[in-house]
Coordinates of all heavy atoms in Angstrom, one line a residue:
M20 N 46.3 -22.0 29.1 CA 45.6 -21.6 30.3 C 46.6 -21.0 31.3 O 47.7 -21.5 31.5 CB 45.0 -22.8 31.0 CG 43.6 -23.3 30.7 SD 42.3 -22.1 30.8 CE 41.1 -23.1 30.2
T21 N 46.1 -20.0 31.9 CA 46.9 -19.3 33.0 C 46.1 -19.4 34.3 O 44.9 -19.2 34.3 CB 47.1 -17.8 32.6 OG1 47.8 -17.8 31.3 CG2 48.0 -17.1 33.6
T22 N 46.8 -19.6 35.4 CA 46.3 -19.6 36.7 C 46.4 -18.2 37.3 O 47.4 -17.6 37.2 CB 47.0 -20.7 37.6 OG1 46.9 -21.9 37.0 CG2 46.4 -20.7 39.0
Y23 N 45.3 -17.8 37.8 CA 45.2 -16.4 38.5 C 44.8 -16.6 39.9 O 44.2 -17.6 40.3 CB 44.2 -15.6 37.8 CG 44.6 -15.1 36.4 CD1 44.4 -15.9 35.3 CD2 45.2 -13.8 36.3 CE1 44.8 -15.4 34.0 CE2 45.6 -13.4 35.0 CZ 45.4 -14.2 33.9 OH 45.8 -13.8 32.7
I24 N 45.2 -15.6 40.7 CA 44.8 -15.5 42.1 C 44.1 -14.1 42.3 O 44.6 -13.1 41.7 CB 45.9 -15.7 43.1 CG1 45.4 -15.9 44.5 CG2 47.0 -14.7 42.9 CD1 46.6 -16.4 45.4
A25 N 43.1 -14.1 43.2 CA 42.4 -12.8 43.5 C 42.2 -12.7 45.0 O 41.9 -13.7 45.7 CB 41.0 -12.8 42.8
H26 N 42.5 -11.6 45.5 CA 42.2 -11.3 46.9 C 40.8 -10.5 46.9 O 40.7 -9.6 46.2 CB 43.3 -10.4 47.5 CG 43.0 -9.9 48.9 ND1 43.5 -8.8 49.4 CD2 42.2 -10.5 49.9 CE1 43.1 -8.7 50.7 NE2 42.3 -9.7 51.0
F27 N 39.9 -11.0 47.7 CA 38.5 -10.4 47.7 C 37.9 -10.3 49.1 O 38.4 -11.0 50.0 CB 37.6 -11.2 46.7 CG 37.2 -12.5 47.3 CD1 36.0 -12.6 48.0 CD2 38.0 -13.6 47.1 CE1 35.6 -13.8 48.5 CE2 37.6 -14.9 47.6 CZ 36.4 -15.0 48.3
T28 N 36.9 -9.5 49.2 CA 36.0 -9.6 50.4 C 34.6 -9.8 49.9 O 34.2 -9.3 48.8 CB 36.1 -8.2 51.2 OG1 35.8 -7.1 50.4 CG2 37.5 -8.0 51.7
A29 N 33.8 -10.5 50.7 CA 32.4 -10.7 50.5 C 31.6 -10.2 51.7 O 32.0 -10.4 52.8 CB 32.1 -12.1 50.2
K30 N 30.5 -9.5 51.4 CA 29.6 -9.1 52.4 C 28.2 -9.5 52.1 O 27.8 -9.4 51.0 CB 29.7 -7.5 52.6 CG 31.0 -7.0 53.0 CD 31.0 -5.5 53.1 CE 32.4 -5.0 53.5 NZ 32.4 -3.6 53.7
H31 N 27.5 -10.0 53.1 CA 26.1 -10.4 53.0 C 25.2 -9.4 53.6 O 25.6 -8.7 54.5 CB 25.9 -11.8 53.7 CG 24.6 -12.4 53.4 ND1 23.5 -12.0 54.0 CD2 24.3 -13.3 52.5 CE1 22.5 -12.8 53.5 NE2 23.0 -13.6 52.6
N32 N 24.1 -9.1 53.0 CA 23.1 -8.1 53.4 C 22.6 -8.3 54.8 O 22.3 -7.4 55.5 CB 21.9 -8.0 52.4 CG 22.3 -7.4 51.1 OD1 23.4 -6.8 50.9 ND2 21.5 -7.7 50.1
F33 N 22.5 -9.6 55.3 CA 21.9 -9.9 56.6 C 22.8 -10.5 57.6 O 22.5 -10.5 58.8 CB 20.6 -10.7 56.4 CG 19.7 -10.2 55.3 CD1 19.5 -10.9 54.1 CD2 19.1 -9.0 55.4 CE1 18.7 -10.4 53.1 CE2 18.2 -8.5 54.4 CZ 18.1 -9.2 53.3
I34 N 23.8 -11.2 57.1 CA 24.8 -11.9 58.0 C 26.0 -10.9 58.2 O 26.6 -10.5 57.3 CB 25.2 -13.2 57.3 CG1 24.0 -14.1 57.1 CG2 26.2 -13.9 58.3 CD1 24.3 -15.3 56.2
A35 N 26.3 -10.7 59.5 CA 27.3 -9.7 59.9 C 28.7 -10.1 59.5 O 29.6 -9.3 59.4 CB 27.2 -9.4 61.3
T36 N 29.0 -11.4 59.4 CA 30.3 -11.9 59.1 C 30.8 -11.5 57.7 O 30.1 -11.7 56.7 CB 30.4 -13.4 59.3 OG1 30.0 -13.7 60.6 CG2 31.9 -13.9 59.0
E37 N 32.1 -11.0 57.6 CA 32.6 -10.7 56.3 C 33.7 -11.7 55.9 O 34.5 -12.2 56.7 CB 33.3 -9.3 56.3 CG 33.9 -8.8 55.0 CD 34.5 -7.5 55.1 OE1 33.7 -6.5 55.5 OE2 35.7 -7.3 54.9
Q38 N 33.6 -12.2 54.7 CA 34.6 -13.1 54.2 C 35.7 -12.3 53.5 O 35.6 -11.5 52.6 CB 34.0 -14.0 53.1 CG 34.9 -15.0 52.5 CD 34.3 -15.9 51.4 OE1 33.2 -15.6 50.9 NE2 35.0 -17.0 51.0
N39 N 36.9 -12.6 54.0 CA 38.2 -11.9 53.5 C 39.1 -13.1 53.0 O 39.6 -13.8 53.9 CB 38.8 -11.0 54.5 CG 40.1 -10.3 54.0 OD1 40.3 -10.2 52.8 ND2 40.9 -9.9 54.9
S40 N 39.2 -13.3 51.7 CA 39.8 -14.6 51.3 C 40.5 -14.4 49.9 O 40.6 -13.3 49.4 CB 38.8 -15.6 51.2 OG 39.3 -16.9 51.0
I41 N 41.0 -15.5 49.4 CA 41.6 -15.5 48.1 C 40.8 -16.5 47.3 O 40.1 -17.4 47.8 CB 43.1 -15.9 48.1 CG1 43.3 -17.3 48.6 CG2 43.9 -14.8 48.8 CD1 44.7 -17.8 48.4
F42 N 40.9 -16.3 45.9 CA 40.2 -17.2 45.0 C 41.2 -17.5 43.9 O 41.8 -16.6 43.3 CB 39.0 -16.5 44.5 CG 38.1 -17.4 43.6 CD1 37.3 -18.3 44.1 CD2 38.1 -17.2 42.2 CE1 36.4 -19.1 43.3 CE2 37.4 -18.0 41.4 CZ 36.5 -18.9 41.9
I43 N 41.3 -18.8 43.5 CA 42.3 -19.2 42.5 C 41.4 -19.8 41.3 O 40.6 -20.7 41.6 CB 43.3 -20.2 43.0 CG1 44.1 -19.5 44.1 CG2 44.2 -20.7 41.9 CD1 45.1 -20.5 44.8
W44 N 41.7 -19.5 40.1 CA 41.0 -20.0 39.0 C 41.9 -20.0 37.7 O 42.9 -19.3 37.7 CB 39.7 -19.2 38.7 CG 39.8 -17.9 38.0 CD1 39.5 -17.6 36.7 CD2 40.3 -16.7 38.5 NE1 39.8 -16.3 36.4 CE2 40.3 -15.7 37.5 CE3 40.9 -16.3 39.8 CZ2 40.7 -14.4 37.7 CZ3 41.3 -15.0 39.9 CH2 41.2 -14.1 38.9
Q45 N 41.5 -20.7 36.7 CA 42.2 -20.7 35.5 C 41.4 -20.1 34.4 O 40.2 -20.2 34.3 CB 42.6 -22.2 35.1 CG 43.7 -22.8 36.0 CD 44.1 -24.1 35.4 OE1 43.3 -24.8 34.8 NE2 45.4 -24.4 35.7
R46 N 42.1 -19.4 33.5 CA 41.4 -18.8 32.3 C 42.5 -18.6 31.2 O 43.7 -18.7 31.5 CB 40.7 -17.5 32.7 CG 41.7 -16.4 33.2 CD 41.0 -15.2 33.6 NE 40.3 -14.5 32.5 CZ 40.8 -13.7 31.6 NH1 42.0 -13.5 31.6 NH2 40.0 -13.2 30.7
E47 N 42.0 -18.3 30.1 CA 42.9 -17.8 29.0 C 43.5 -16.5 29.4 O 43.0 -15.7 30.2 CB 42.1 -17.6 27.7 CG 41.5 -18.9 27.1 CD 42.5 -20.0 26.8 OE1 43.6 -19.6 26.3 OE2 42.1 -21.1 27.0
S48 N 44.7 -16.3 29.0 CA 45.4 -15.1 29.4 C 44.7 -13.8 28.8 O 43.9 -14.0 27.9 CB 46.9 -15.1 28.9 OG 46.9 -15.3 27.5
G49 N 45.0 -12.7 29.3 CA 44.4 -11.5 28.9 C 43.8 -10.8 30.1 O 44.0 -11.1 31.2
E50 N 43.1 -9.7 29.9 CA 42.6 -8.8 30.9 C 41.4 -9.6 31.7 O 40.6 -10.2 31.1 CB 42.0 -7.6 30.3 CG 41.8 -6.5 31.4 CD 42.1 -5.1 30.9 OE1 42.9 -5.0 30.0 OE2 41.5 -4.2 31.5
V51 N 41.4 -9.5 33.0 CA 40.4 -10.1 33.8 C 39.2 -9.3 33.8 O 39.2 -8.0 34.1 CB 41.0 -10.3 35.3 CG1 39.9 -10.7 36.2 CG2 42.2 -11.2 35.3
D52 N 38.0 -9.9 33.5 CA 36.7 -9.2 33.6 C 36.3 -9.3 35.0 O 35.8 -10.3 35.5 CB 35.8 -9.9 32.7 CG 34.4 -9.2 32.6 OD1 34.0 -8.5 33.6 OD2 33.7 -9.2 31.6
V53 N 36.3 -8.2 35.8 CA 36.1 -8.2 37.2 C 34.6 -8.6 37.5 O 34.3 -9.3 38.4 CB 36.4 -6.8 37.8 CG1 36.0 -6.8 39.3 CG2 37.9 -6.5 37.7
K54 N 33.6 -8.1 36.7 CA 32.2 -8.5 36.9 C 32.0 -10.0 36.8 O 31.3 -10.6 37.6 CB 31.3 -7.7 35.9 CG 29.9 -8.0 36.1 CD 29.4 -7.5 37.4 CE 27.9 -7.8 37.6 NZ 27.5 -8.1 38.9
L55 N 32.6 -10.6 35.8 CA 32.5 -12.1 35.6 C 33.2 -12.8 36.8 O 32.7 -13.8 37.3 CB 33.1 -12.5 34.3 CG 32.3 -12.2 33.0 CD1 33.1 -12.6 31.8 CD2 30.9 -12.8 33.1
L56 N 34.3 -12.2 37.3 CA 35.0 -12.8 38.4 C 34.2 -12.7 39.6 O 34.1 -13.7 40.4 CB 36.4 -12.1 38.6 CG 37.2 -12.6 39.8 CD1 37.5 -14.1 39.7 CD2 38.5 -11.8 39.8
E57 N 33.5 -11.6 39.9 CA 32.7 -11.4 41.1 C 31.6 -12.4 41.1 O 31.3 -13.1 42.1 CB 32.1 -10.0 41.1 CG 33.1 -8.9 41.4 CD 32.6 -7.5 41.2 OE1 31.5 -7.3 40.7 OE2 33.3 -6.6 41.6
D58 N 30.9 -12.7 39.9 CA 29.9 -13.7 39.9 C 30.4 -15.1 40.1 O 29.8 -15.9 40.8 CB 29.2 -13.6 38.5 CG 28.4 -12.4 38.3 OD1 28.0 -11.7 39.3 OD2 28.1 -12.0 37.1
K59 N 31.6 -15.4 39.6 CA 32.2 -16.7 39.8 C 32.5 -16.9 41.3 O 32.3 -18.0 41.8 CB 33.5 -16.8 38.9 CG 34.2 -18.1 38.9 CD 35.3 -18.1 37.9 CE 35.9 -19.5 37.8 NZ 35.1 -20.5 37.2
I60 N 33.1 -15.9 41.9 CA 33.4 -16.0 43.4 C 32.1 -16.2 44.2 O 32.1 -17.0 45.1 CB 34.2 -14.7 43.8 CG1 35.6 -14.7 43.2 CG2 34.2 -14.7 45.4 CD1 36.3 -13.4 43.4
K61 N 31.0 -15.5 43.8 CA 29.7 -15.7 44.5 C 29.3 -17.1 44.5 O 28.9 -17.7 45.5 CB 28.7 -14.8 43.9 CG 28.8 -13.3 44.3 CD 27.6 -12.6 43.7 CE 27.7 -11.1 43.9 NZ 26.6 -10.3 43.4
R62 N 29.3 -17.7 43.2 CA 28.8 -19.0 43.0 C 29.7 -20.1 43.6 O 29.2 -21.1 44.2 CB 28.7 -19.3 41.5 CG 27.6 -18.7 40.8 CD 27.5 -19.3 39.3 NE 28.8 -19.4 38.6 CZ 29.4 -18.5 37.9 NH1 28.8 -17.3 37.8 NH2 30.5 -18.7 37.3
E63 N 31.0 -19.9 43.5 CA 31.9 -21.0 43.9 C 32.6 -20.9 45.2 O 33.2 -21.8 45.7 CB 33.0 -21.1 42.8 CG 32.5 -21.5 41.5 CD 33.5 -21.6 40.4 OE1 34.7 -21.7 40.7 OE2 33.2 -21.5 39.2
S64 N 32.4 -19.7 45.9 CA 33.0 -19.5 47.2 C 32.1 -18.9 48.2 O 31.8 -19.5 49.3 CB 34.3 -18.7 47.1 OG 34.8 -18.5 48.3
A65 N 31.6 -17.7 48.0 CA 30.8 -16.9 49.0 C 29.5 -17.6 49.4 O 29.2 -17.6 50.6 CB 30.5 -15.5 48.5
I66 N 28.8 -18.2 48.5 CA 27.5 -18.9 48.9 C 27.8 -20.0 49.9 O 27.1 -20.2 50.9 CB 26.8 -19.4 47.7 CG1 26.1 -18.2 47.0 CG2 25.8 -20.4 48.0 CD1 25.3 -18.5 45.7
H67 N 28.9 -20.8 49.6 CA 29.2 -21.9 50.5 C 29.7 -21.4 51.8 O 29.4 -21.9 52.9 CB 30.2 -22.8 49.8 CG 29.8 -23.3 48.5 ND1 28.7 -24.2 48.3 CD2 30.1 -22.9 47.2 CE1 28.5 -24.4 47.1 NE2 29.3 -23.7 46.4
F68 N 30.5 -20.3 51.8 CA 31.0 -19.7 53.1 C 29.9 -19.3 54.0 O 29.8 -19.6 55.1 CB 31.9 -18.5 52.7 CG 32.4 -17.7 53.9 CD1 33.4 -18.1 54.7 CD2 31.7 -16.5 54.3 CE1 33.8 -17.4 55.8 CE2 32.1 -15.8 55.4 CZ 33.1 -16.3 56.2
Y69 N 28.9 -18.6 53.4 CA 27.8 -18.1 54.2 C 26.9 -19.2 54.6 O 26.3 -19.1 55.7 CB 27.1 -16.9 53.5 CG 27.8 -15.6 53.6 CD1 28.5 -15.1 52.5 CD2 28.0 -15.0 54.8 CE1 29.2 -13.9 52.6 CE2 28.8 -13.8 54.9 CZ 29.4 -13.3 53.8 OH 30.1 -12.2 54.0
S70 N 26.8 -20.2 53.9 CA 26.0 -21.4 54.3 C 26.6 -22.0 55.5 O 25.9 -22.6 56.4 CB 25.9 -22.4 53.2 OG 25.2 -21.9 52.1
L71 N 27.9 -22.0 55.6 CA 28.7 -22.6 56.7 C 28.6 -21.8 58.0 O 28.5 -22.3 59.1 CB 30.1 -22.8 56.4 CG 30.4 -24.0 55.4 CD1 31.9 -23.9 55.0 CD2 30.2 -25.3 56.1
V72 N 28.6 -20.4 57.9 CA 28.7 -19.6 59.0 C 27.4 -19.3 59.7 O 27.3 -18.8 60.8 CB 29.4 -18.3 58.8 CG1 30.9 -18.5 58.4 CG2 28.7 -17.4 57.8
T73 N 26.3 -19.6 59.0 CA 25.0 -19.3 59.6 C 24.5 -20.5 60.4 O 24.7 -21.6 60.0 CB 23.9 -18.8 58.5 OG1 22.7 -18.5 59.2 CG2 23.7 -20.0 57.5
D74 N 23.9 -20.2 61.6 CA 23.4 -21.3 62.4 C 22.0 -21.7 61.9 O 21.5 -22.8 62.3 CB 23.4 -20.9 63.8 CG 24.8 -20.8 64.4 OD1 25.7 -21.5 63.9 OD2 24.9 -20.1 65.4
E75 N 21.3 -20.8 61.3 CA 19.9 -21.0 60.9 C 19.9 -21.7 59.5 O 20.9 -21.7 58.8 CB 19.2 -19.7 60.9 CG 19.3 -19.0 62.2 CD 18.7 -17.6 62.1 OE1 17.9 -17.3 61.2 OE2 19.2 -16.7 62.9
Q76 N 18.7 -22.2 59.2 CA 18.5 -22.7 57.8 C 18.1 -21.5 56.9 O 16.9 -21.5 56.4 CB 17.4 -23.8 57.9 CG 17.8 -25.0 58.6 CD 19.0 -25.7 58.0 OE1 19.5 -25.3 56.9 NE2 19.5 -26.8 58.6
V77 N 18.9 -20.6 56.7 CA 18.7 -19.5 55.9 C 19.1 -19.8 54.4 O 20.2 -20.3 54.2 CB 19.5 -18.2 56.4 CG1 19.3 -17.1 55.5 CG2 19.1 -17.9 57.8
E78 N 18.2 -19.4 53.5 CA 18.6 -19.6 52.1 C 19.6 -18.5 51.7 O 19.2 -17.3 51.9 CB 17.4 -19.5 51.2 CG 17.7 -19.7 49.8 CD 16.5 -19.6 48.9 OE1 15.4 -19.4 49.4 OE2 16.7 -19.8 47.7
I79 N 20.7 -18.8 51.3 CA 21.7 -17.9 50.8 C 21.6 -17.6 49.4 O 21.6 -18.5 48.5 CB 23.1 -18.4 51.1 CG1 23.3 -18.8 52.6 CG2 24.2 -17.3 50.7 CD1 23.1 -17.7 53.6
K80 N 21.3 -16.4 49.0 CA 21.1 -16.0 47.6 C 22.2 -15.1 47.1 O 22.7 -14.3 47.9 CB 19.8 -15.2 47.5 CG 18.5 -16.0 47.9 CD 17.3 -15.2 47.8 CE 16.1 -15.9 48.3 NZ 14.9 -15.0 48.3
Q81 N 22.6 -15.3 45.9 CA 23.6 -14.5 45.2 C 23.4 -13.0 45.3 O 24.3 -12.3 45.5 CB 23.9 -14.9 43.8 CG 24.6 -16.2 43.6 CD 25.0 -16.5 42.2 OE1 25.2 -15.5 41.4 NE2 25.0 -17.7 41.8
E82 N 22.1 -12.6 45.1 CA 21.8 -11.2 45.1 C 22.0 -10.6 46.5 O 22.0 -9.3 46.6 CB 20.4 -10.9 44.5 CG 19.3 -11.7 45.2 CD 19.0 -13.0 44.6 OE1 19.7 -13.5 43.8 OE2 17.9 -13.6 45.0
D83 N 22.1 -11.3 47.5 CA 22.3 -10.8 48.9 C 23.8 -10.6 49.2 O 24.1 -10.2 50.3 CB 21.7 -11.7 49.9 CG 20.1 -11.7 49.8 OD1 19.6 -10.7 49.4 OD2 19.5 -12.7 50.2
I84 N 24.7 -11.0 48.3 CA 26.1 -11.0 48.6 C 26.8 -9.9 47.6 O 26.5 -9.9 46.4 CB 26.8 -12.3 48.3 CG1 26.1 -13.4 49.2 CG2 28.3 -12.3 48.5 CD1 26.5 -14.8 48.9
S85 N 27.7 -9.1 48.2 CA 28.4 -8.2 47.4 C 29.9 -8.6 47.5 O 30.4 -8.9 48.5 CB 28.2 -6.7 47.7 OG 28.6 -6.5 49.1
I86 N 30.6 -8.5 46.3 CA 32.0 -8.9 46.3 C 32.8 -7.7 45.9 O 32.4 -6.9 45.0 CB 32.2 -10.0 45.2 CG1 31.4 -11.3 45.5 CG2 33.7 -10.4 45.1 CD1 31.7 -12.1 46.7
T87 N 33.9 -7.5 46.6 CA 34.9 -6.5 46.2 C 36.2 -7.2 45.9 O 36.8 -7.9 46.8 CB 35.1 -5.5 47.3 OG1 33.8 -4.9 47.7 CG2 36.1 -4.4 46.9
V88 N 36.7 -7.1 44.7 CA 37.9 -7.7 44.3 C 39.0 -6.7 44.5 O 39.0 -5.6 44.0 CB 37.9 -8.2 42.8 CG1 39.3 -8.7 42.4 CG2 36.9 -9.2 42.6
L89 N 39.9 -7.0 45.4 CA 41.0 -6.0 45.8 C 42.2 -6.1 44.9 O 42.8 -5.0 44.6 CB 41.4 -6.3 47.3 CG 40.2 -6.2 48.3 CD1 40.7 -6.7 49.6 CD2 39.8 -4.8 48.4
K90 N 42.5 -7.3 44.4 CA 43.7 -7.4 43.6 C 43.7 -8.8 42.8 O 43.2 -9.8 43.4 CB 45.0 -7.3 44.4 CG 46.3 -7.4 43.6 CD 47.4 -7.2 44.6 CE 48.7 -7.2 43.8 NZ 49.9 -7.0 44.6
T91 N 44.1 -8.8 41.6 CA 44.3 -10.0 40.9 C 45.7 -10.1 40.2 O 46.2 -9.0 39.9 CB 43.2 -10.2 39.7 OG1 43.4 -9.2 38.8 CG2 41.8 -10.1 40.3
M92 N 46.2 -11.2 40.1 CA 47.5 -11.4 39.4 C 47.7 -12.8 39.0 O 47.0 -13.8 39.5 CB 48.6 -11.0 40.4 CG 48.7 -11.8 41.6 SD 49.9 -11.1 42.8 CE 51.4 -11.8 42.3
P93 N 48.5 -13.1 38.0 CA 48.9 -14.5 37.6 C 49.5 -15.2 38.8 O 50.2 -14.6 39.6 CB 49.9 -14.3 36.5 CG 49.6 -13.0 35.9 CD 49.2 -12.1 37.1
F94 N 49.3 -16.5 38.9 CA 49.7 -17.2 40.1 C 50.5 -18.5 39.6 O 49.9 -19.2 38.8 CB 48.5 -17.6 40.9 CG 48.8 -18.4 42.1 CD1 49.5 -17.8 43.2 CD2 48.4 -19.7 42.3 CE1 49.8 -18.5 44.4 CE2 48.6 -20.4 43.4 CZ 49.3 -19.8 44.5
S95 N 51.6 -18.8 40.1 CA 52.4 -19.9 39.7 C 52.6 -20.9 40.9 O 53.6 -21.7 40.8 CB 53.7 -19.5 39.1 OG 54.5 -18.8 40.0
G96 N 51.8 -20.8 41.9 CA 52.0 -21.6 43.1 C 51.4 -22.9 42.9 O 51.4 -24.0 43.2

């Protein structure tokens, strides 16, 4: 298993706040599938982020979030 780090931004269709963050995960070595990574970031980070920043009881849906992965690399921290 190799640990990787990704720098990403997340944008919600209705919430004006943008998430600019990093995401750390483990996977078998090899090329990173960006589409799978974007889905993983939505499920494990962005949905929770947008649930925290909204004051209303708004249902946060994955399809309302877009992820842009800026950079990925192996991480040994």
Side-chain angles (χ1 to χ4, degrees):
M20 265 312 171
T21 302
T22 302
Y23 288 85
I24 189 168
H26 176 206
F27 73 93
T28 58
K30 295 181 182 179
H31 192 278
N32 289 343
F33 311 113
I34 301 169
T36 303
E37 182 177 302
Q38 181 184 13
N39 183 17
S40 190
I41 61 167
F42 185 78
I43 298 171
W44 79 107
Q45 290 188 327
R46 63 180 301 276
E47 297 296 325
S48 59
E50 195 146 335
V51 173
D52 183 331
V53 176
K54 181 63 180 150
L55 289 176
L56 177 57
E57 289 171 353
D58 290 340
K59 186 173 184 67
I60 291 171
K61 283 182 188 182
R62 285 191 316 273
E63 298 179 20
S64 179
I66 284 180
H67 304 290
F68 173 82
Y69 284 109
S70 293
L71 285 170
V72 298
T73 185
D74 290 334
E75 304 170 24
Q76 294 294 358
V77 176
E78 181 182 2
I79 306 299
K80 299 178 185 176
Q81 282 189 32
E82 56 267 14
D83 292 333
I84 301 170
S85 61
I86 303 292
T87 302
V88 176
L89 303 167
K90 184 177 181 178
T91 63
M92 59 189 275
F94 181 65
S95 60

